[in-house]
Amino acid sequence: MDKKFSKKFIEEQKQRLIKDRQKSLSQIEILKTEDPFSDPEHASDNAAIDTDVREQMGHEAIEAQIKDLQKKINDIDNVLKKIQKNQYGLCERCKKNIPQARLKLIPEALYCVECEKTLRK
Ligand SMILES: [Zn+2]
């Protein structure tokens, strides 16, 4: 069962990935400006302790979100490379086709559901 995806489908996915990549990049920029630690006044202010704690939490939440977005961009880059090599939709681990429905849901998926589960254990 070696069903290839249609060119149209791959092209659509490619456009989605490029858009998602740009969106993620601009989200990172927005998050960076929201990070309380990026405020140049931060180091010198003598804010109350509870403010500092809140800032610390905000900083960590933002850092985590940026990390997630960077991982997504990284995945998208890998997938775009696969499209170039004509290997879009091939699971990185078992080399089987990833179901089209899954790719529609997660265009940057690098693994089939089975392998993803195994890798997460
Ligand atoms: Zn697999």
Side-chain angles (χ1 to χ4, degrees):
M1 242 199 28
D2 191 24
K3 204 160 86 35
K4 285 269 172 201
F5 302 112
S6 73
K7 273 190 178 157
K8 187 174 166 282
F9 174 69
I10 292 173
E11 189 55 33
E12 277 168 9
Q13 295 292 94
K14 196 174 145 187
Q15 296 311 320
R16 277 181 68 190
L17 286 161
I18 292 168
K19 244 187 232 167
D20 268 5
R21 192 181 189 282
Q22 282 168 342
K23 217 172 87 186
S24 303
L25 277 175
S26 53
Q27 272 176 334
I28 288 176
E29 289 311 306
I30 294 166
L31 283 167
K32 277 183 183 166
T33 63
E34 282 174 0
D35 189 341
F37 281 24
S38 72
D39 183 352
E41 309 254 310
H42 175 81
S44 59
D45 78 0
N46 289 311
I49 289 166
D50 65 328
T51 310
D52 271 353
V53 169
R54 220 180 304 136
E55 282 183 354
Q56 179 68 39
M57 281 170 68
H59 174 69
E60 275 166 20
I62 286 169
E63 287 256 280
Q65 281 185 62
I66 289 177
K67 233 176 149 186
D68 277 357
L69 286 165
Q70 274 165 344
K71 189 192 171 291
K72 191 178 174 181
I73 291 170
N74 196 30
D75 283 354
I76 290 176
D77 283 343
N78 283 331
V79 169
L80 287 172
K81 267 182 227 152
K82 284 178 82 173
I83 292 177
Q84 266 178 2
K85 284 191 283 183
N86 236 336
Q87 289 175 349
Y88 182 62
L90 278 187
C91 173
E92 290 282 287
R93 191 165 164 271
C94 67
K95 307 292 174 198
K96 282 184 199 152
N97 272 338
I98 300 168
Q100 192 159 326
R102 174 167 164 79
L103 291 169
K104 273 189 181 164
L105 209 65
I106 316 164
E108 71 271 24
L110 288 166
Y111 302 101
C112 69
V113 182
E114 253 55 48
C115 292
E116 180 98 54
K117 267 191 214 154
T118 314
L119 289 165
R120 275 192 191 177
K121 263 174 207 164

